[in-house]
Amino acid sequence: MGFWKSLFGGEDKNSEEAKKETEVKNFDLLKYDGVKAMRMGQAEYAEKCFREALKIQDDLETRDYLQQVLTQMGNLEGALAELKVMADAQPDNVAVLMQAAHVAYMQENYEEMTTLCEQALAVDDSNANATYQYAQAALAQGDVVNGVARLTKAIAQNENYGDAYLLRAKTLLAMGDLNGAMADVQWLIHHVEANEDVMIVAARVLNATGKTDEALDIYNTVVEMNPFQIDAYRERGKIKYDRGDKQGAEEDMQKVLELNPNEMADVSGDYSAEGIEAKVKDSYKILNPLGL
């Protein structure tokens, strides 16, 4: 019986099947060991597992896990490369294109981000996230008019798109369109739960329009919510400085320096009254009321 199996290739066939079964088993072990390691925060081991698994089988889910790990590790170039392989395999997958655009944004590769957003919009021209990320890329490249237009379109596509309202409010504020910025801020206040980013922008708008008492109230609330919010201390201190509250301004600058010791490089006397006073004068004289 063994002779006939050998003669007609039976043993080779079984050997080949056994090899394939082993490969499948090894792939599964490597993939799920990688997932386990990723969830335990063992990124380097997870990366190794996923790469070894991909040598056995080109699997899009495994590539997705790999790009997540690479992103966590700060290897944005590697993560983007994996996402582009996935996008080539599934050109109509808008979610993959958007994740790739997000990684490109983190990488400050705005031209690549624009291209990816255009590809996503070619698949689904009503996708608010793609339109929003397109706006981010435009603004990052200094194309403010196009950026605002894209944000407005994203809001039209999704009327509850809080991030789009917030970014448009910041952009309009920087452009000096206080009425437009205030309208977006009011929408955010009524539709978004207490959010320090929204509150900071609201305070900046109020300060820019001369409503400093209201701005101070908001800054006070922000630092109560988050006592590590450097911008709130710095900008509140600026208002106090302009109003002649030297002590209050110095106290806020002291807090800024405690939270960000790197700013001490420009202060003589290590937290001395003279050093902080000089820092207060230098910082608050040039601080833009719009938070820029």
Side-chain angles (χ1 to χ4, degrees), residues 32-188:
Y32 293 110
D33 272 0
V35 171
K36 182 178 179 181
M38 180 175 69
R39 291 173 177 169
M40 294 175 64
Q42 299 173 354
E44 292 184 1
Y45 180 71
E47 179 192 0
K48 182 177 180 180
C49 288
F50 293 140
R51 290 196 184 281
E52 290 300 318
L54 288 168
K55 290 179 182 179
I56 299 172
Q57 178 181 331
D58 191 356
D59 175 66
L60 293 180
E61 184 179 33
T62 303
R63 286 193 182 277
D64 187 32
Y65 288 135
L66 177 57
Q67 70 84 13
Q68 291 179 48
V69 167
L70 292 173
T71 300
Q72 292 170 8
M73 295 172 67
N75 185 353
L76 301 179
E77 184 176 354
L80 185 57
E82 295 300 328
L83 284 160
K84 291 177 76 172
V85 171
M86 294 167 62
D88 288 342
Q90 297 180 324
D92 293 337
N93 191 326
V94 174
V96 170
L97 290 167
M98 288 298 86
Q99 179 60 23
H102 177 65
V103 172
Y105 182 67
M106 295 170 64
Q107 199 179 20
E108 298 183 358
N109 187 349
Y110 304 122
E111 291 184 4
E112 181 69 39
M113 183 182 183
T114 299
T115 298
L116 290 162
C117 289
E118 289 173 344
Q119 291 176 12
L121 289 168
V123 177
D124 180 5
D125 62 1
S126 63
N127 188 288
N129 186 30
T131 304
Y132 173 76
Q133 291 201 54
Y134 202 139
Q136 285 184 304
L139 292 172
Q141 295 176 91
D143 189 353
V144 178
V145 174
N146 187 28
V148 171
R150 294 280 176 181
L151 289 171
T152 301
K153 185 174 181 180
I155 290 169
Q157 292 168 332
N158 177 3
E159 62 182 12
N160 294 312
Y161 206 149
D163 286 343
Y165 279 102
L166 180 58
L167 183 54
R168 189 172 68 175
K170 291 179 179 179
T171 305
L172 293 175
L173 179 59
M175 294 170 65
D177 183 357
L178 301 183
N179 291 332
M182 180 58 78
D184 282 345
V185 165
Q186 289 176 338
W187 185 95
L188 288 161

Side-chain angles (χ1 to χ4, degrees), residues 7-34:
L7 181 63
F8 291 105
E11 290 185 356
D12 290 339
K13 180 179 178 181
N14 289 340
S15 176
E16 187 64 27
E17 289 178 353
K19 180 181 177 181
K20 289 181 178 179
E21 289 176 0
T22 299
E23 288 182 347
V24 170
K25 182 178 180 180
N26 289 341
F27 171 81
D28 287 340
L29 287 171
L30 287 165
K31 178 178 179 179
Y32 293 110
D33 272 0

